[in-house]
Amino acid sequence: MRAVDIVSNLYQAYADRDIEGALSRCSEDVVFRWIADPRQSRHAGTAHGKQEFLARLLALDDDFEYRHFVPVEIIDGGDKVAAQVEIHMTRRATGEEFIMRTANFWTVRDGEIIEMVEYYDTALAASVF
């Protein structure tokens, strides 16, 4: 399976809120880097391994309702995949609705995701986290 298909399938599972299924093609030692100032979000930083990645995603799911998850554009770079994603969210604690736009960069090796780096609107995150 091509890397772009692996990432596309992950996005579809995540949109369906099958968080564990979304990570099925991640290597056990996958690295997830959420690029942000940790003073702005307790979720910022690096998760090492599939279990830490899963824990980070489940914590986000506890804090936010994901109403709509849309990969706006996915760019196939062979074993590197880039995506622009639009996420319609509600903060569970306040009911505040907003749209978060992210840029994701994936690395796939031997049919498994080994790294994901995400950038997002830090000013928006600071206002809702």
Side-chain angles (χ1 to χ4, degrees):
M1 182 179 290
R2 297 178 320 140
V4 69
D5 297 324
I6 290 169
V7 171
S8 294
N9 290 343
L10 179 144
Y11 283 137
Q12 184 58 56
Y14 197 73
D16 294 340
R17 306 315 301 147
D18 178 10
I19 297 171
E20 291 187 39
L23 300 184
S24 66
R25 295 299 297 260
C26 288
S27 70
E28 287 301 319
D29 59 348
V30 65
V31 175
F32 169 53
R33 300 179 200 287
W34 201 20
I35 308 301
D37 184 335
R39 293 173 296 183
Q40 293 177 327
S41 171
R42 67 183 177 92
H43 303 291
T46 302
H48 297 277
K50 190 186 281 191
Q51 291 307 309
E52 280 187 33
F53 193 1
L54 176 60
R56 184 81 49 96
L57 294 177
L58 291 173
L60 283 164
D61 206 54
D62 285 344
D63 289 346
F64 300 96
E65 174 190 352
Y66 289 73
R67 298 186 324 276
H68 198 53
F69 185 89
V70 183
V72 176
E73 181 176 18
I74 300 176
I75 301 168
D76 182 354
D79 64 347
K80 301 279 188 174
V81 178
Q84 178 183 345
V85 179
E86 185 176 280
I87 310 164
H88 298 243
M89 307 170 79
T90 302
R91 181 165 172 83
R92 294 185 191 278
T94 65
E96 179 181 3
E97 295 183 2
F98 59 97
I99 298 172
M100 177 70 72
R101 290 173 182 84
T102 67
N104 300 163
F105 300 91
W106 302 88
T107 303
V108 177
R109 185 173 300 131
D110 298 326
E112 290 188 319
I113 296 167
I114 62 167
E115 182 179 45
M116 189 269 218
V117 178
E118 180 170 280
Y119 296 86
Y120 61 94
D121 182 340
T122 56
L124 176 60
S127 73
V128 297
F129 283 93

